[in-house]
Amino acid sequence: MLTLLNEKEHDHDFNLTEEGLALLEDTAIFSLSLEGVITSWNSGAYNLLGLEKESALGKPFSTFFTMEDVLVGKPELQLKVAGGPLGLFQENSWRIRNDGTRFYARTLLSPVKSESGDIRGFIYVIRDISITRKLTELEDAIRIRDEFLSLASHELRTPLTKILLQLQLMKRLHSEIPQKIVKSLTDCETSSRELASLMDNLVDVTRLRLGKLHIKRTKTNIVTLMKNVLEKLKDDIRISGNYVHFRFDKELVGYWDQNRVEQLFSNLLSNALKFGDGKPIDIHLVERDGEINFKIQDQGEGIPYHLQPKIFERFERAVDPRKISGLGLGLYICRQIVVAHEGTIALESAPGAGATFKVSLPLKKLSR
C-alpha cells in the first residue's frame, strides 16, 4: 500500500491493483520493476503522458525524463536512493510527455516490499504542477516589483524633497529676480509636487496589496484639514483657472487619520482641478446623523457612464491618458482610505454635466 499527500494535504491510500492505479485520472501512477521498467499503467498516466497502456508496458521509466537528466544518470540514481535507507525519492522537476512536450512535475518514487522486507519493485507517481509553478513565479515577480517600487520611491523622495525646498527658497526671493524666472520656478515646483504625488501613490498601492495601509486615528479638526489642503494646492488652483468655493457649517472635530484624510481631500481636489475645465468647483462639508458628509463638485466634461462602475479601480482612467497625466491610482487610493475609516464614497456624474464625489466618514472614534 502506498500513501500519498495530495494538494489539499489529505491522505489517500492506493492499492497496487489495476483498480487502485485507476483511481486518479489526473495523476500518472505506475509500477516499476527493480530495473525501472514499467509493469503497470493507470488511466491518469495516459491522460498526463499521452501513451496507451499497451505501448507503455515494458518501457523504462526514464522515457519520461529529459535528455539532460538521462545523460547524467538521474533515473538510476533515483532508483538507488528510493531503494536505500531513505526508502523514498521525491522532487519537483521537468518531465517529458510522449509527444515530446515538457511539463513541470512533482514526482515520487517509493519501493514496494514483500512480507519479508525484500524490495519487489517501485511505485512511481507524477503530477503536473506547471500551473502551480507559474503562480509561484508570478507571486515572486509581484513581490520583487513591490519591493523595487517601495525602495525606488523612498530613494527618489530624498533628492526630490531637496529640489522642492530649493525651489521654494528661490521663489521667496522673487522680488530680486525677473517675473519670467518666477513663473518657471512655479512650474518646476508644480511638476515636482506631481512627481512626488505619483511616487506616494505607487507606494500606497504596494502597501494596500500587502495589507499594510495602517490607520492611526487622532483627534482632528476636519475643517482645518481642508483649509490646509487648499493652501497647499493654491498654486495648482491658480494655474488651473478654477475658482474653489469651500462651504462648511461649523468647526467639525472627529477621530481620523489626519495624513490619510488630508491625502483623500488632496486627491479629490486635484482630480477636480484636472477635469474641472477652468470652471468653479464647489466643496461642501457638513455634519449629519453622526457622520461628516464631504462633497466636491466640478463642472467639467463629466465621466462616461460605461467608465463609472470602474472609476475607483486601479489604473482606471476617465479620459484618454494622452490628454491628462497620471497613473489612474488617485481614486482607487481614495476609496481604500474611506473604507479603512469605515465610511463610503460615491460618484454622481453625467457626460457634459461635471462630476460630484460624495464621502461620508463616521464622526466619532470607532471601537477597535
Side-chain angles (χ1 to χ4, degrees):
M1 183 172 287
L2 171 67
T3 301
L4 299 178
L5 192 65
N6 76 350
E7 297 289 353
K8 296 182 179 179
E9 298 186 352
H10 293 294
D11 289 333
H12 290 278
D13 292 332
F14 299 99
N15 294 318
L16 301 182
T17 62
E18 293 296 326
E19 294 79 8
L21 292 175
L23 283 176
L24 289 184
E25 295 297 316
D26 62 344
T27 302
I29 306 174
F30 46 94
S31 57
L32 307 174
S33 68
L34 288 171
E35 296 76 23
V37 175
I38 298 171
T39 57
S40 68
W41 189 257
N42 78 328
S43 57
Y46 168 74
N47 294 335
L48 181 59
L49 300 171
L51 194 63
E52 295 285 355
K53 177 180 176 181
E54 292 74 15
S55 302
L57 296 179
K59 286 183 176 293
F61 85 124
S62 60
T63 300
F64 307 105
F65 282 66
T66 65
M67 183 58 67
E68 305 95 280
D69 286 349
V70 172
L71 289 175
V72 298
K74 201 169 184 179
E76 294 80 5
L77 176 62
Q78 293 190 7
L79 289 171
K80 185 176 180 179
V81 172
L86 289 177
L88 184 71
F89 187 94
Q90 55 186 338
E91 70 167 352
N92 295 341
S93 186
W94 291 101
R95 289 295 180 266
I96 303 294
R97 295 187 178 88
N98 188 50
D99 62 5
T101 58
R102 290 188 174 209
F103 65 99
Y104 201 68
R106 177 171 298 152
T107 65
L108 182 147
L109 182 64
S110 178
V112 178
K113 296 183 179 180
S114 64
E115 293 183 359
S116 61
D118 297 327
I119 297 178
R120 296 166 37 205
F122 299 89
I123 286 292
Y124 194 53
V125 181
I126 308 176
R127 169 166 284 183
D128 186 351
I129 59 169
S130 299
I131 294 178
T132 302
R133 182 172 184 264
K134 289 179 180 178
L135 289 174
T136 301
E137 290 175 346
L138 287 173
E139 289 174 353
D140 289 341
I142 291 172
R143 176 182 54 79
I144 293 171
R145 180 208 63 186
D146 289 344
E147 290 175 355
F148 169 77
L149 287 176
S150 180
L151 178 61
S153 298
H154 176 74
E155 293 299 322
L156 289 171
R157 238 343 189 140
T158 300
L160 184 59
T161 299
K162 291 180 179 179
I163 291 173
L164 279 168
L165 289 174
Q166 290 298 317
L167 289 170
Q168 291 168 1
L169 178 61
M170 294 177 69
K171 281 181 64 180
R172 293 194 186 102
L173 304 174
H174 67 274
S175 60
E176 303 174 18
I177 56 179
Q179 191 61 34
K180 288 184 178 180
I181 296 180
V182 173
K183 183 181 182 305
S184 296
L185 291 174
T186 300
D187 292 342
C188 289
E189 184 182 5
T190 300
S191 297
S192 297
R193 290 190 184 280
E194 289 178 355
L195 179 57
S197 178
L198 289 174
M199 291 191 299
D200 289 342
N201 284 345
L202 286 173
V203 172
D204 282 339
V205 168
T206 300
R207 288 172 178 165
L208 285 166
R209 200 191 72 80
L210 298 175
K212 295 182 179 180
L213 187 65
H214 299 301
I215 296 298
K216 184 178 180 181
R217 296 177 184 272
T218 58
K219 191 174 183 179
T220 304
N221 186 317
I222 206 163
V223 173
T224 301
L225 206 62
M226 188 64 228
K227 289 179 178 178
N228 291 340
V229 171
L230 291 170
E231 176 63 24
K232 289 181 179 180
L233 295 180
K234 64 180 180 180
D235 287 335
D236 294 345
I237 294 171
R238 178 180 55 79
I239 293 171
S240 70
N242 296 96
Y243 171 76
V244 179
H245 183 209
F246 176 38
R247 296 181 292 131
F248 59 95
D249 296 339
K250 59 182 179 179
E251 297 294 320
L252 301 171
V253 178
Y255 289 85
W256 303 283
D257 186 312
Q258 291 189 25
N259 292 330
R260 290 301 178 184
V261 174
E262 182 174 324
Q263 183 182 13
L264 167 68
F265 289 165
S266 181
N267 281 359
L268 290 174
L269 179 54
S270 295
N271 190 70
L273 294 175
K274 280 185 181 180
F275 303 105
D277 200 25
K279 299 175 182 178
I281 294 172
D282 184 67
I283 300 174
H284 191 202
L285 194 59
V286 64
E287 177 186 355
R288 183 177 293 117
D289 299 327
E291 293 183 333
I292 292 298
N293 292 326
F294 171 80
K295 180 176 73 173
I296 180 166
Q297 182 177 16
D298 67 61
Q299 300 178 38
E301 61 186 68
I303 300 173
Y305 292 116
H306 70 281
L307 293 178
Q308 292 184 24
K310 295 184 177 182
I311 199 65
F312 292 108
E313 296 181 9
R314 284 178 295 182
F315 309 115
E316 289 295 334
R317 307 292 301 279
V319 297
D320 188 334
R322 292 171 295 183
K323 297 180 180 179
I324 299 291
S325 62
L327 298 175
L329 294 173
L331 292 178
Y332 167 75
I333 293 171
C334 285
R335 183 179 66 175
Q336 300 307 314
I337 292 172
V338 170
V339 170
H341 284 86
E342 301 190 23
T344 61
I345 183 169
L347 164 70
E348 292 180 0
S349 182
T356 301
F357 287 92
K358 296 182 177 181
V359 175
S360 294
L361 299 176
L363 180 62
K364 296 182 179 180
K365 183 176 181 180
L366 299 174
S367 58
R368 296 183 179 180

